[in-house]
Amino acid sequence: MALNVPKIKFYNGNEIPAFGLGTWKSKPGEVTQAVKDAIDIGYRHIDCAHVYGNEKEVGAAISAKIAEGTIKREDLFITSKLWNTYHKTELVEVNLKKTLSDLGVEYLDLYLIHWPMAYKDGPDNFPKTPEGTPLLDNVDYLDTWKGMEAVLAKGLIKNIGVSNFNSEQIDRLLKNCKVKPVNNQIECHPYLIQKPLSAFCKERGIVITGYSPLGSPDRPWAKPDDPKLMEDEKLVKLSKKYNKSPAQVLIRYQLDRGHVVIPKSVTKSRILENSQVFDFKLNEEDIAYIDTFDCNGRICPMTGCEPSPHYPFHIPF
């Protein structure tokens, strides 16, 4: 039974479920069961990426649920992302076909350029210089976008978009593309509310998906003294007012701002809890109050990529 998840319409008339399951950091051994649990609970939107290293396992869950008749392929909205080592125009289809093969599907509903900057192409997802910094390439994302438009024209994907692009990069893309991006997937949570970028994209008919909506407490580079969003006293107090968990308030915060939101979990009880957010709304005062938590607390800065001409975080938004 599917959840009663609202859909957000892209400018091209296609729709995306406003809520889905994130799979970043979901270990290969755990993610198959997590995706099965999510589908059983009623999730119909799964967010993936080549670089997460678990698309085969996600695909195994999808195939199992289709085989047992729980869902059909067309019931699902599947997103994946082109990795930084495949930015050359001719490599876009190579990466996409690997993803389609790993997921065991014939098409994607949404394909995103994961980051605007490129790495040196080759077998290593994270090529490094002798000094240990990312081995960057200066491929222009406009060339990458040509490859995205080509696979869209072939029917291998239904929609194309970007991720982690700033306002200037989006503007430049809009001036130089045949097909406009439908989506910009960005880090978004109360410590990084992304208000200017969200408004900028909405004005241009681009839907925002917020990743790491819970503050990504399990990110590998977290330090013990980093602030923990879900333990923030102000948030905990607010969650008691709504008789909801801090995680549920954080998810609702994105939905009430008109964003798509993709919380990640591999724990069945949390996958269920994260989905129980459609029986309440935050009032405008509380949304404005959560906005005040903003401290530019970016948790995915892609450290080491700053020398790239396409690094997105040198400007305010």
Side-chain angles (χ1 to χ4, degrees):
M1 182 184 140
L3 296 162
N4 191 20
V5 176
K7 292 187 171 172
I8 295 176
K9 196 166 275 207
F10 292 141
Y11 74 81
N12 62 12
N14 296 335
E15 292 181 321
I16 182 171
F19 171 82
L21 179 75
T23 60
W24 175 42
K25 307 180 303 302
S26 297
K27 296 179 185 72
E30 301 170 337
V31 76
T32 302
Q33 190 57 47
V35 173
K36 285 180 180 175
D37 290 340
I39 289 171
D40 287 341
I41 286 163
Y43 284 66
R44 293 296 178 261
H45 174 182
I46 315 288
D47 183 86
C48 316
H50 168 76
V51 79
Y52 300 165
N54 58 11
E55 288 193 322
K56 274 191 176 160
E57 290 77 14
V58 171
I62 291 168
S63 298
K65 287 293 156 190
I66 291 173
E68 70 183 40
T70 306
I71 47 160
K72 300 186 188 76
R73 166 64 185 96
E74 56 268 28
D75 297 332
L76 291 179
F77 189 101
I78 303 174
T79 301
S80 188
K81 306 176 197 84
L82 176 87
W83 185 237
N84 305 357
T85 50
Y86 295 88
H87 272 218
K88 288 178 179 165
T89 311
E90 66 276 13
L91 292 181
V92 172
E93 189 169 332
V94 175
N95 196 198
L96 172 61
K97 286 200 160 155
K98 170 89 171 94
T99 278
L100 291 173
S101 165
D102 286 349
L103 289 171
V105 296
E106 291 178 1
Y107 69 92
L108 293 177
D109 297 278
L110 178 60
Y111 199 43
L112 309 175
I113 301 179
H114 207 147
W115 288 90
M117 63 275 173
Y119 290 170
K120 186 88 182 100
D121 60 275
D124 189 355
N125 282 338
F126 292 94
K128 298 264 196 299
T129 65
E131 297 74 47
T133 56
L135 188 56
L136 299 163
D137 204 342
N138 57 0
V139 182
D140 192 326
Y141 55 82
L142 294 182
D143 293 328
T144 314
W145 192 253
K146 288 189 184 105
M148 299 287 281
E149 291 175 334
V151 288
L152 179 71
K154 285 186 176 183
L156 297 172
I157 41 189
K158 306 276 190 195
N159 303 279
I160 49 177
V162 296
S163 181
N164 300 297
F165 273 51
N166 68 32
S167 57
E168 288 175 7
Q169 290 166 334
I170 286 167
D171 244 358
R172 184 167 170 254
L173 184 55
L174 291 175
K175 287 180 181 130
N176 292 280
C177 65
K178 289 183 190 149
V179 182
K180 257 176 45 169
V182 296
N183 182 238
N184 187 16
Q185 185 175 130
I186 56 174
E187 180 184 335
C188 195
H189 46 75
Y191 291 164
L192 186 75
I193 65 171
Q194 299 274 26
K195 215 168 190 176
L197 187 54
S198 175
F200 178 92
C201 287
K202 278 180 189 166
E203 279 163 17
R204 285 153 184 81
I206 298 169
V207 173
I208 290 285
T209 298
Y211 73 75
S212 296
L214 311 180
S216 196
D218 58 347
R219 64 192 181 278
W221 53 88
K223 298 186 193 73
D225 53 348
D226 283 348
K228 293 180 176 64
L229 176 60
M230 284 203 281
E231 295 170 18
D232 190 304
E233 286 174 18
K234 305 188 294 287
L235 178 69
V236 171
K237 193 173 169 192
L238 195 59
S239 72
K240 287 179 179 151
K241 170 183 168 179
Y242 284 94
N243 200 23
K244 289 285 179 180
S245 70
Q248 287 169 324
V249 170
L250 291 171
I251 293 163
R252 194 66 236 181
Y253 171 68
Q254 298 297 334
L255 293 168
D256 287 339
R257 293 178 63 196
H259 295 167
V260 177
V261 62
I262 46 167
K264 168 258 167 185
S265 180
V266 292
T267 311
K268 188 171 185 179
S269 59
R270 287 205 194 116
I271 293 170
L272 176 62
E273 180 191 289
N274 289 348
S275 74
Q276 294 170 332
V277 291
F278 300 104
D279 55 352
F280 80 110
K281 280 189 171 184
L282 301 175
N283 66 41
E284 283 181 24
E285 294 78 36
D286 289 332
I287 292 170
Y289 175 58
I290 295 172
D291 285 347
T292 67
F293 298 8
D294 189 35
C295 56
N296 197 30
R298 190 179 298 283
I299 53 179
C300 293
M302 282 302 258
T303 307
C305 294
E306 294 86 351
S308 167
H310 305 304
Y311 182 74
F313 307 137
H314 287 317
I315 62 170
F317 71 92

